[in-house]
């Protein structure tokens, strides 16, 4: 039942209506008997207008996706440490009239990975792409025992800025992060041979962006014991994961990350711990 005291949360993104976040969070509110609802706001408004709307309407918290993860950063009154290092936010809370931004993507990814593969030794990582979610995973990696990350990114206008941010993250966590040009197939092949985990953080493989994040023959160069992961969860198994599975690799899609990052957002907003197993089973049953 919605009352005059029902708290409002939501996702601000474009496109947004395909998102599973409303189901996850509304199940969470039901789980903890919290008088709140989570909606989708499919918006192309200017970032300043989004920030103003959150304050003016008293929206208790929002998640952010494209195109707002980076553009709303300068409009926050406070940034949590991980968000400062990454330069991107996916979660905003309205606290005493102030907008507080954080990023739960990175810890969400590693929590999901450890949940399914608790004995996985992920010291050597190959990261394909370095957008907002990819950078968040890189920043969080040190907290989960990762020693070295080899990042492959296209030579585009953001390359130098990403390189500088990776240096900052590496220095902060005292870890090794090496950035390569995505076109350097020799470097990629060498990195794949010794990797414990390969992460596709590009959009190649999504329903509207078919394709592979690397040439098919390179997938066979991945170390046999290496886990192959994809941040994409629709489709549930991308062409990349299909080829990796055919080569005998263990694989994981992005659904676990989606749920675990949502649980961390939920806790950031409410202080309550979300039980994720029932939500995972509900999503699998629904879809």
């Amino acid at each position: 039942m919605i009352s005059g005291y029902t708290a409002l949360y939501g996702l601000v993104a474009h496109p947004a209506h395909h998102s599973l976040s409303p189901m996850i969070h509304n199940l969470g509110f039901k789980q903890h008997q919290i008088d709140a609802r989570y909606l989708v706001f499919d918006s192309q408004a200017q970032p300043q207008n989004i920030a103003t709307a959150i304050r003016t309407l008293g929206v208790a918290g929002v998640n952010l996706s494209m195109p707002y993860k980076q553009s709303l950063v300068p409009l926050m009154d406070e940034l949590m440490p991980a968000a400062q290092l990454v330069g991107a936010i996916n979660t905003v809370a309205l606290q005493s009239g102030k907008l507080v931004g954080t990023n739960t993507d990175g810890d969400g990814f590693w929590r999901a990975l450890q949940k399914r593969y608790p004995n996985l030794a992920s010291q050597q990582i190959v990261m394909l792409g370095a957008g907002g979610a990819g950078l968040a995973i890189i920043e969080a990696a040190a907290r989960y025992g990762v020693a070295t990350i080899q990042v492959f990114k296209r030579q585009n206008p953001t390359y130098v800025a990403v390189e500088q941010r990776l240096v900052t993250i590496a220095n902060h966590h005292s870890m090794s992060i090496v950035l390569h040009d995505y076109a350097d197939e020799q470097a990629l092949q060498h990195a794949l041979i010794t990797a414990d985990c390969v992460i596709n953080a590009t959009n190649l493989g999504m329903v509207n962006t078919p394709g592979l994040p690397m040439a098919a023959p390179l997938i066979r160069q991945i170390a046999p014991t290496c886990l192959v992961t994809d941040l994409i969860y629709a489709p549930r198994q991308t062409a990349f994961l299909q080829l990796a599975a055919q080569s005998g690799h263990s694989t994981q899609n992005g659904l676990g990350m989606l749920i675990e990052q949502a649980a961390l957002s939920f806790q950031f907003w409410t202080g309550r711990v979300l039980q994720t197993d029932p939500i995972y089973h509900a999503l699998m049953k629904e879809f």
Side-chain angles (χ1 to χ4, degrees), residues 210-229:
L212 291 169
M214 66 174 71
L218 283 174
I219 296 174
R220 292 190 286 272
Q221 301 295 318
I222 299 174
T225 57
C226 180
L227 173 66
V228 179
T229 70

Side-chain angles (χ1 to χ4, degrees), residues 5 35 44 69 130 140 170 184 189 270:
Y5 299 97
D35 185 9
Q44 298 185 68
K69 283 189 174 184
D184 190 346
Q189 181 178 8
T270 68

Side-chain angles (χ1 to χ4, degrees), residues 123-143:
Q123 293 191 338
Q124 309 289 329
I125 303 299
V126 171
M127 173 69 72
L128 308 175
L135 286 172
I137 292 169
I138 292 167
E139 187 281 323
R143 295 192 283 279

